[in-house]
Amino acid sequence: MFRWRVGTGIGVAAVVASLTLAACGSSDDDTTSAAGGSTPAATTGGSTTTASGGDASRDAAVAEALKYTGSTEGAADASKDPIGVGWANDDEGKAPAPQITAAVKAAFDFVNKDLGGVDGRPLKLIADRQCVLGAAEKQGTSCAQALLNNPAVDVIMVGYTPVGGRSLLATVRDNGRVPVIGAIPLSPEDMAAKSSFFTSGGPFTVATVATFMKDVLKAKTAAEIWPDDPAQTPFIEGFEKSLESLGIKVTSAYVPPDATDALAPVTAARPNEQDVVNVNPFTPGQCIADAKALKTLGVDKPTIAVGSLCLDPSVKAELGDYPKFILNFSYPVPDIPAPQTDAMNWALGQYSSDADKVAHGFYAPQYFGLALTLQKWLGELGADKDIDVKTLGPVITSFTGPIWGGAPTLKFGSPGTPAVGSFAARFAEYLGDGKWKYVSGWLNPPPPAS
Amino acid sequence: MRELIVFVLLGLGPAALIAGLAVALVVQYRGSGVINLAAGAIATFGAYAFYSLDSQAGWAAVPAIAGALGLCVVLGLALELILFRRLRSAPPLAKLVASLGLLLTLQAVFVLAYGPNPRAAPAIFSQGSDSTVQVFGSPIPTDRLWVAAIVVLATVLLSLVYRYTRIGLSTRAAAENEGAAMLLGLEPVRVSLYNTVAATVLAGGFGILVASQTQLDASTISLTIVPALAGALLGGFTSFAVSAAAGMAIGIGQTILVYAQARSWLPTMGGSPLPGVAPLFSFVVVVGALWLRGAGLPTRGMLREERLPAAPEAPAHAVAKGIALTVIAAVVLLIVPAAFRQAMMNSAAGIVICLSLVVIVGYVGQISLMQVTLAGVAAFAVQKLSVDAGIPFPLSPILAVGVAVLFGLAAAVPSLRLRGVTLAIGTLAAAVAIERFVFNNTTFGQDPSGSVLPAPDLFGLNLGPRADFPGWDGTLPSPVPGLICLLVTLGVALFVVGLRRSTFGQHMLAVRSNESAAASEGVNVRNVKIAGFAIAAGIAGVGGVMAAYSVGTVNAADFGVVIGLTFVAFAYLGGITTVSGAIVAGTLVPVGLTGVALQEWTSLSLNWLNLIGGVMLIYTILFYPQGIALATTEQARHVMARLQRRRGEPGPDAVVG
């Protein structure tokens, strides 16, 4: 009996560690894609079969993608060495974004099954168990070490990493060997890193939002609703500087991180007295709280929501529909038809298990586009070349755009933010019932002063 | 002034939740002596139950409310019969850790059942712009006013029930003197059952009321527990009216601070408001209340209350054993995969932080919930001293440990007047305030860029993750920092062993055992407490510095309050009175050895692991209250005794007997 209890005690010790564990959900070397290797998805998203037996939707999607990537139609050669892309993302935790991982996996399947890989070499997503982030900030260091230690990792791709990302990027951003690509820098240091390449400014796209307020909405006053989170200080500083430089007077209010109700902070910003309201949620839940408070207060001023968190399906589920906000996009709105958007929707329908959820999940379309852009970069480098910062870096920095579905032009090397290719965004307003309309073209003001 | 009144009214919603939870905490404490950290999670349980019945099962509102409250009754019965009744005579820290296990378990269940994203909680009262009253031109939602009124009504009813009904009087009698109550024919066990069920229904009911105003997710309502504790504390965990009023005042005060943050006259930091003003406000309230009350919470007149587990002296040859263990660990460090090298460093820092808990809780008997916070103070200090002040290694970490000691000394001051769970709540409030006000301050805390700490360098020799080492294959991190961590851990562990054996260690245990008796024996209780806090803070500071160097960045999230509570839970689990317990606990800490092993070798998701961990924490508290290390030692001793008896030799049990 006592032996059992000793054993149980030890078992207890082991299991209790789970209190703080990071995720264990995905397998080591979670490979999506080597040609012919992975399982296609359940749906085929709106495919239509032509009289000749071909699939018109597929053909259109593939043609559109090939036009962009410059690759050759067909499956990649599974016998060739894959190009390893190390992947890190907050797939678990309080604000998980597994849809981004799903979008990248779908994009890699698309590349390997339909777009010929990189001169025949398949792209292989290497999702180390240590890189399923979201539980503890320390995980980022372990993940960075795992990726840098793995000789199969040719490129590191960093997703949405509010928990773990700072430790991760601090370790990899200047590693000097493996190129780091992403779309969401988290700090001014990330934007100035030597081994890193971000296709957009992520939350630092503040000058663009300010320009939209001034030039499109003709605003002179603005209510700013921020999460009361010091990690956002650089964004707040940059944004308020941009607004002041444009002559827009700001009244800011801050929602405490543990607030049960955003009504008071939203009221404190006096939204009904301003020309425009700007909310800056960093989780879908914050977007819901802001939207509910604005509705309670009967605010009918144009409301801009920075970032894509308000686009998450959970927001729609909570509020009955997405709030009728104006959102800034560095990627295509999945509900507005366009050739590249349609191609993305087809590929997600083909290669992910819940295409609608993935397409509408925050930042997922951006990473789908980044994956195709990576294929283009690698193709331009040449499949037979060594892949490192010295070889792929110049290909990326000389790339002038466009990003798949995103910014029309890119320019790396700007003073202060050399690692960011574009701060461009365009704005779309949600009209309700799944309808969107773009309310601006691409805006691309100078990047924020460092 | 008009705006101020508007914000007072707007604050009634969150204030009602805080007040309601404070009242539920008082009911629970009066009935069972448990300070239930899971009260907020129980409120969330009620809200989710109502959501399931109303929105998912399609029940009408009234039956759904009744059904949800019924489920709360079932939960209350289960909690009492499975958990609280078994812990009636357990030490206060055990009860606190058990309630923490309950909090973690419920949160994991919520995430597994409903996902991490918030759900749309059905509203009891109508909401929207047409359900408001205009006050000085600002719309005030009427649902906040209704909820506040219901909380006030519930408080009045509870006060009357506890003053004039048999069950209320029985509760008061049992709380005052359990033995006398039993002589009068009362049944404290039954009283505890009624109160636990009542507290659960109250918390669940308030959760149902407020969920539609806030986010129905696993953590938002659950973590309102800290200001609710402050409210209950102000009411001395006795007075419903004072607790509710204090909870209301704290909630409204926090809302007024939100209003002040939007005004230009409040100091800012880089254009942003000073962070953590609201929790600092709660902390000031708690400390003020504690200081004024001084004597702490009313002691429940339990028939028998167990003390903390025994703090046995280290076994013979502890130094040799420690060195041998370190050598083995060093060998393991050199041969394991790189992921485990980092995990071993994380565990080494965790062991040291847990050793600080052994000193302050296990030896001196002062329940401090801020040791991880003190580790964070040292971590941020070493980063600032190294990067901003340019102070070289090893002076910077030494000074950083000194900073942690200063914070520890500050924490020692309230301990001169407080003890037990009262001190625990004070240190919890301090931890929240330091996390939010210091760590989150971009000037002297978290750098938004990640607070990078350069690798240590001694006389030109790199000691960081890229340090050269013979035979090293270049995979990160290098074994060098891991070996240094092992040596430092050994040094601290031997220091704690020596401390336990020293005369001063005996004085610490005397203070833990009985302060009055210790004083009568000539022990300077005040000095022992102050020195104990300083030593423990210094050890925690060493752990914090180790954590900072091993990761290379300092992040506030790694030293947050929830992490701190988890460390206390692990330390208690391992054995909070022994060095070996701290070693067991260190392997369990976040991203430590056990965690990384499970991550590498199992495919369970984080949420399932959290659930299993929470349940196992409760199980261990119930069945291994002395901690895993001591339990394992005792069982091993029994095994040896049996074997020796079989051989006809006198075993250790026979000698003791």
Side-chain angles (χ1 to χ4, degrees):
Chain A
M1 180 65 180
F2 57 81
R3 283 180 187 163
W4 177 84
R5 293 186 67 172
V6 171
T8 307
I10 294 166
V12 165
V15 175
V16 165
S18 62
L19 290 171
T20 51
L21 263 189
C24 301
S26 66
S27 61
D28 200 7
D29 282 6
D30 188 354
T31 308
T32 39
S33 357
S38 84
T39 310
T43 65
T44 52
S47 298
T48 45
T49 306
T50 61
S52 62
D55 183 332
S57 301
R58 179 203 173 270
D59 293 347
V62 171
E64 186 63 31
L66 292 175
K67 191 166 74 179
Y68 177 77
T69 61
S71 55
T72 308
E73 183 176 353
D77 185 347
S79 66
K80 289 189 174 180
D81 280 346
I83 295 173
V85 180
W87 174 245
N89 187 55
D90 277 17
D91 282 336
E92 295 201 339
K94 194 178 177 185
Q99 75 278 0
I100 298 179
T101 300
V104 173
K105 285 181 175 178
F108 277 29
D109 273 339
F110 189 33
V111 167
N112 291 333
K113 291 175 186 296
D114 299 299
L115 306 181
V118 178
D119 293 342
R121 287 180 70 184
L123 286 179
K124 179 179 176 182
L125 194 70
I126 299 174
D128 192 284
R129 285 168 188 254
Q130 302 294 331
C131 293
V132 180
L133 305 178
E137 183 58 40
K138 272 182 186 172
Q139 289 179 297
T141 303
S142 301
C143 167
Q145 291 171 347
L147 294 176
L148 293 173
N149 286 342
N150 190 341
V153 172
D154 297 302
V155 178
I156 294 172
M157 200 174 191
V158 181
Y160 177 70
T161 54
V163 177
R166 284 180 172 76
S167 304
L168 168 72
L169 287 167
T171 307
V172 301
R173 65 185 169 218
D174 287 316
N175 75 81
R177 185 173 58 85
V178 185
V180 179
I181 65 167
I184 309 171
L186 294 175
S187 71
E189 281 73 9
D190 296 339
M191 295 194 291
K194 294 185 180 70
S195 307
S196 304
F197 309 92
F198 294 93
T199 52
S200 85
F204 289 96
T205 316
V206 289
T208 314
V209 180
T211 302
F212 174 74
M213 285 183 183
K214 177 71 177 174
D215 293 348
V216 179
L217 299 180
K218 311 295 181 192
K220 292 179 180 168
T221 58
E224 294 290 331
I225 317 295
W226 293 96
D228 188 4
D229 177 359
Q232 317 311 332
T233 303
F235 318 135
I236 299 174
E237 283 178 353
F239 198 19
E240 297 194 343
K241 267 185 202 169
S242 298
L243 290 171
E244 283 167 16
S245 69
L246 296 172
I248 298 175
K249 191 180 174 206
V250 177
T251 304
S252 294
Y254 306 87
V255 183
D258 50 1
T260 54
D261 185 356
L263 186 60
V266 171
T267 303
R270 297 170 175 159
N272 277 315
E273 298 171 20
Q274 320 294 340
D275 296 332
V276 61
V277 179
N278 174 213
V279 297
N280 298 270
F282 270 72
T283 64
Q286 287 173 1
C287 176
I288 292 165
D290 292 343
K292 284 168 80 172
L294 289 166
K295 185 181 175 190
T296 300
L297 293 172
V299 176
D300 58 358
K301 301 297 171 67
T303 300
I304 302 167
V306 173
S308 304
L309 282 300
C310 290
L311 198 60
D312 192 69
S314 66
V315 176
K316 187 177 182 181
E318 165 81 18
L319 300 174
D321 196 359
Y322 294 118
K324 292 178 181 174
F325 290 166
I326 298 169
L327 272 65
N328 63 321
F329 287 94
S330 301
Y331 58 84
V333 179
D335 294 318
I336 299 180
Q340 290 190 343
T341 311
D342 297 344
M344 176 191 76
N345 287 337
W346 179 86
L348 292 178
Q350 186 73 14
Y351 296 117
S352 68
S353 58
D354 193 344
D356 185 64
K357 200 170 179 181
V358 174
H360 289 90
F362 53 86
Y363 295 120
Q366 188 161 16
Y367 275 85
F368 180 93
L370 182 61
L372 291 197
T373 306
L374 175 63
Q375 185 204 6
K376 183 179 176 70
W377 287 338
L378 291 167
E380 288 179 11
L381 173 66
D384 56 339
K385 300 280 175 45
D386 289 338
I387 301 168
D388 57 29
V389 172
K390 286 180 185 163
T391 56
L392 187 61
V395 173
I396 297 174
T397 52
S398 61
F399 180 66
T400 56
I403 291 289
W404 167 275
T409 58
L410 243 69
K411 184 187 172 201
F412 286 95
S414 298
T417 58
V420 179
S422 170
F423 289 93
R426 59 181 161 173
F427 292 77
E429 182 177 7
Y430 185 62
L431 305 173
D433 298 326
K435 296 185 177 64
W436 291 81
K437 73 167 181 183
Y438 286 117
V439 291
S440 81
W442 286 97
L443 303 176
N444 194 11
S450 60
Chain B
M1 187 60 192
R2 288 182 167 191
E3 275 196 317
L4 204 60
I5 293 171
V6 167
F7 277 84
V8 167
L9 294 172
L10 285 173
L12 284 177
L17 175 62
I18 295 170
L21 289 181
V23 169
L25 282 168
V26 173
V27 172
Q28 180 79 65
Y29 183 78
R30 287 179 74 161
S32 65
V34 173
I35 292 181
N36 190 1
L37 294 178
I42 291 171
T44 310
F45 172 86
Y48 269 126
F50 178 52
Y51 165 78
S52 292
L53 295 174
D54 183 293
S55 300
Q56 292 185 318
W59 291 20
V62 173
I65 293 172
L69 292 177
L71 288 171
C72 289
V73 170
V74 174
L75 177 67
L77 287 169
L79 291 180
E80 175 66 20
L81 297 177
I82 296 171
L83 188 61
F84 296 144
R85 181 169 293 179
R86 292 168 182 266
L87 292 174
R88 281 184 59 74
S89 59
L93 183 58
K95 293 177 183 173
L96 205 66
V97 171
S99 73
L100 175 63
L102 179 60
L103 167 64
L104 297 171
T105 303
L106 286 174
Q107 282 192 307
V109 168
F110 299 150
V111 175
L112 281 169
Y114 300 97
N117 288 318
R119 298 293 180 114
I124 305 284
F125 307 104
S126 57
Q127 292 183 324
S129 54
D130 54 343
S131 300
T132 59
V133 291
Q134 295 290 322
V135 178
F136 302 125
S138 292
I140 308 293
T142 50
D143 59 345
R144 274 71 168 169
L145 305 179
W146 282 115
V147 173
I150 289 171
V151 169
V152 171
L153 185 64
T155 305
V156 171
L157 283 175
L158 279 170
S159 300
L160 293 174
V161 165
Y162 277 74
R163 183 174 292 272
Y164 296 113
T165 66
R166 179 172 170 77
I167 182 64
L169 293 171
S170 301
T171 301
R172 293 170 67 184
E176 290 286 331
N177 190 323
E178 206 166 87
M182 289 177 76
L183 289 174
L184 289 171
L186 302 175
E187 295 181 65
V189 171
R190 189 176 293 252
V191 166
S192 176
L193 175 70
Y194 291 152
N195 281 279
T196 297
V197 171
T200 309
V201 170
L202 274 172
F206 291 133
I208 293 170
L209 288 173
V210 302
S212 62
Q213 299 169 18
T214 176
Q215 300 174 47
L216 181 50
D217 58 30
S219 60
T220 302
I221 296 176
S222 302
L223 297 182
T224 310
I225 189 67
V226 175
L229 278 170
L233 198 62
L234 279 162
F237 276 86
T238 303
S239 166
F240 296 117
V242 176
S243 299
M248 283 281 188
I250 291 169
I252 291 169
Q254 291 186 342
T255 304
I256 290 172
L257 285 171
V258 167
Y259 160 73
Q261 284 184 327
R263 306 282 80 87
S264 57
W265 42 264
L266 197 79
T268 59
M269 181 189 66
S272 307
L274 281 174
V277 174
L280 186 68
F281 170 72
S282 296
F283 170 66
V284 170
V285 169
V286 169
V287 168
L290 291 174
W291 193 257
L292 288 174
R293 293 190 62 83
L297 298 181
T299 308
R300 291 180 49 77
M302 302 293 289
L303 275 180
R304 181 176 66 93
E305 184 165 289
E306 292 171 6
R307 296 174 179 276
L308 282 168
E313 230 180 74
H317 313 301
V319 174
K321 287 177 181 173
I323 292 171
L325 190 62
T326 305
V327 170
I328 293 169
V331 172
V332 171
L333 181 82
L334 295 175
I335 59 175
V336 292
F340 285 90
R341 284 204 291 271
Q342 185 64 43
M344 286 182 78
M345 285 196 282
N346 295 339
S347 279
I351 290 170
V352 172
I353 294 172
C354 289
L355 283 169
S356 82
L357 282 162
V358 169
V359 171
I360 194 63
V361 182
Y363 292 175
V364 192
Q366 307 297 303
I367 304 176
S368 167
L369 302 182
M370 61 182 297
Q371 296 309 110
V372 168
T373 308
L374 294 171
V377 167
F380 278 110
V382 73
Q383 197 268 342
K384 298 293 173 192
L385 290 168
S386 301
V387 176
D388 297 346
I391 297 174
F393 184 87
L395 189 57
S396 54
I398 292 169
L399 290 175
V401 171
V403 174
V405 171
L406 289 177
F407 272 73
L409 286 171
V413 175
S415 77
L416 301 180
R417 287 172 65 91
L418 311 171
R419 58 184 60 87
V421 174
T422 319
L423 178 63
I425 295 172
T427 55
L428 178 64
V432 174
I434 291 173
E435 178 194 358
R436 300 277 174 78
F437 193 71
V438 178
F439 295 171
N440 284 337
N441 188 305
T442 52
T443 303
F444 38 83
Q446 176 80 64
D447 184 331
S449 307
S451 296
V452 175
L453 177 63
D457 182 300
L458 189 62
F459 308 121
L461 195 63
N462 181 5
L463 303 177
R466 295 179 188 276
D468 283 334
F469 188 79
W472 175 45
D473 61 1
T475 54
L476 296 172
S478 155
V480 172
L483 293 171
I484 295 172
C485 281
L486 288 177
L487 285 175
V488 173
T489 305
L490 174 66
V492 175
L494 293 180
F495 169 77
V496 175
V497 168
L499 185 67
R500 167 65 183 81
R501 287 176 173 168
S502 69
T503 306
F504 186 70
Q506 302 296 326
H507 289 176
M508 285 179 163
L509 290 172
V511 169
R512 183 189 105 155
S513 179
N514 188 321
E515 290 184 20
S516 302
S520 68
E521 290 295 318
V523 174
N524 188 326
V525 174
R526 187 188 65 176
N527 286 356
V528 168
K529 281 187 176 181
I530 290 174
F533 267 96
I535 292 169
I539 294 173
V542 171
V545 167
M546 287 167 67
Y549 277 120
S550 66
V551 176
T553 58
V554 184
N555 293 285
D558 291 332
F559 302 99
V561 170
V562 176
I563 298 277
L565 289 173
T566 311
F567 265 67
V568 174
F570 287 147
Y572 199 90
L573 231 70
I576 204 161
T577 56
T578 61
V579 171
S580 54
I583 293 170
V584 172
T587 64
L588 303 172
V589 300
V591 206
L593 263 178
T594 314
V596 170
L598 285 175
Q599 194 175 28
E600 287 284 319
W601 298 334
T602 74
S603 56
L604 279 176
S605 76
L606 166 71
N607 299 323
W608 278 106
L609 291 172
N610 281 346
L611 175 62
I612 294 167
V615 171
M616 288 298 127
L617 178 58
I618 293 170
Y619 177 83
T620 309
I621 290 287
L622 290 175
F623 296 103
Y624 298 94
Q626 71 275 51
I628 291 168
L630 274 181
T632 308
T633 306
E634 284 172 14
Q635 299 289 9
R637 191 175 295 151
H638 283 302
V639 172
M640 292 300 295
R642 282 192 175 195
L643 287 174
Q644 286 171 334
R645 271 199 296 272
R646 280 183 188 175
R647 291 178 196 152
E649 300 168 6
D653 284 358
V655 174
V656 172

